[in-house]
Amino acid sequence: DTGVSQDPRHKITKRGQNVTFRCDPISEHNRLYWYRQTLGQGPEFLTYFQNEAQLEKSRLLSDRFSAERPKGSFSTLEIQRTEQGDSAMYLCASSPGSEQFFGPGTRLTVL
Amino acid sequence: GIQVEQSPPDLILQEGANSTLRCNFSDSVNNLQWFHQNPWGQLINLFYIPSGTKQNGRLSATTVATERYSLLYISSSQTTDSGVYFCAVEGPTGGFKTIFGAGTRLFVKA
């Protein structure tokens, strides 16, 4: 069991560019979550997958954000036309049912 | 949705001291976890504790679900305990949304 991995760990982009992050959950964990965390705050829920189905999506997630989990394994989070307000840590977690296990996060900086 | 409040927001301890962190939540919950976020941002699982009491070394936690609060006890604190402690809950009426508190920022002085 290698834990949840995320790639890249850091991303610097210019405003208006698109970015994509990847999350590889712990194998056989059917639940996958994405969160966003800004400085000094707790993680904010973005979206939830059970296997390949996206079952919950926060109203925080504007139409510039999209997430996928093809085949119920890894997941991607894409942000289109990035804005400076998108700068944050993006966290992924997986779960076999109840307890969530987090990856190291991807830190996004939008210049 | 569920509201989660953590107290105190900040805590400074001398090494060796004991402390209690509190998490209040506004509705019944299915799941409750305590995490420690280290200086590199990694969230480390401490306890999965929707009810009852658990202990792990110098740490223990108690959740009283009927009164809607959970407590995290740290005994004989060490400098490596520094960081931010989060409580996170998932409720039956909130779908699959997990709500985090704002955290307690702990600094342990040598």
Side-chain angles (χ1 to χ4, degrees):
Chain A
D1 185 350
T2 57
V4 179
S5 61
Q6 293 188 244
D7 184 70
R9 295 291 306 276
H10 303 273
K11 178 71 177 179
I12 300 174
T13 191
K14 292 183 179 179
R15 189 175 53 187
Q17 298 295 304
N18 300 342
V19 295
T20 300
F21 308 141
R22 178 180 171 122
C23 171
D24 286 89
I26 294 170
S27 61
E28 300 182 358
H29 280 194
N30 62 344
R31 297 187 174 195
L32 188 145
Y33 302 77
W34 283 99
Y35 297 85
R36 179 173 65 189
Q37 186 177 23
T38 53
L39 198 62
Q41 304 295 318
E44 292 178 287
F45 171 86
L46 292 179
T47 191
Y48 162 75
F49 289 87
Q50 187 160 316
N51 299 311
E52 66 276 9
Q54 188 174 20
L55 298 184
E56 189 85 44
K57 190 175 174 179
S58 170
R59 278 172 277 181
L60 294 173
L61 221 60
S62 75
D63 56 6
R64 296 185 297 105
F65 288 71
S66 62
E68 294 183 339
R69 193 184 181 195
K71 303 178 183 177
S73 56
F74 71 92
S75 176
T76 58
L77 177 68
E78 181 183 16
I79 309 174
Q80 296 183 327
R81 305 180 303 281
T82 52
E83 302 172 356
Q84 287 185 326
D86 297 331
S87 295
M89 175 79 90
Y90 290 84
L91 296 163
C92 175
S94 71
S95 171
S98 300
E99 188 173 3
Q100 295 182 39
F101 298 86
F102 279 79
T106 294
R107 185 170 296 282
L108 173 66
T109 301
V110 182
L111 302 176
Chain B
I2 295 177
Q3 305 297 314
V4 180
E5 292 185 358
Q6 291 188 242
S7 61
D10 298 281
L11 186 59
I12 299 174
L13 295 176
Q14 193 66 45
E15 196 170 30
N18 303 330
S19 63
T20 301
L21 282 57
R22 187 177 180 103
C23 171
N24 292 335
F25 41 94
S26 60
D27 202 347
S28 59
V29 296
N30 290 335
N31 301 321
L32 189 148
Q33 285 187 254
W34 282 97
F35 296 93
H36 175 213
Q37 190 165 43
N38 66 21
W40 296 271
Q42 176 73 54
L43 281 162
I44 300 164
N45 291 42
L46 296 178
F47 294 101
Y48 171 74
I49 188 166
S51 64
T53 298
K54 291 185 177 180
Q55 179 154 9
N56 184 3
R58 297 182 295 103
L59 302 182
S60 63
T62 296
T63 297
V64 184
T66 54
E67 296 187 21
R68 300 179 182 170
Y69 72 88
S70 183
L71 302 174
L72 177 69
Y73 305 97
I74 304 174
S75 64
S76 304
S77 58
Q78 300 176 358
T79 56
T80 52
D81 294 332
S82 297
V84 185
Y85 290 80
F86 289 106
C87 167
V89 304
E90 189 177 312
T93 59
F96 299 100
K97 189 176 296 185
T98 302
I99 305 300
F100 278 74
T104 292
R105 287 151 190 79
L106 172 65
F107 179 68
V108 181
K109 300 188 296 184

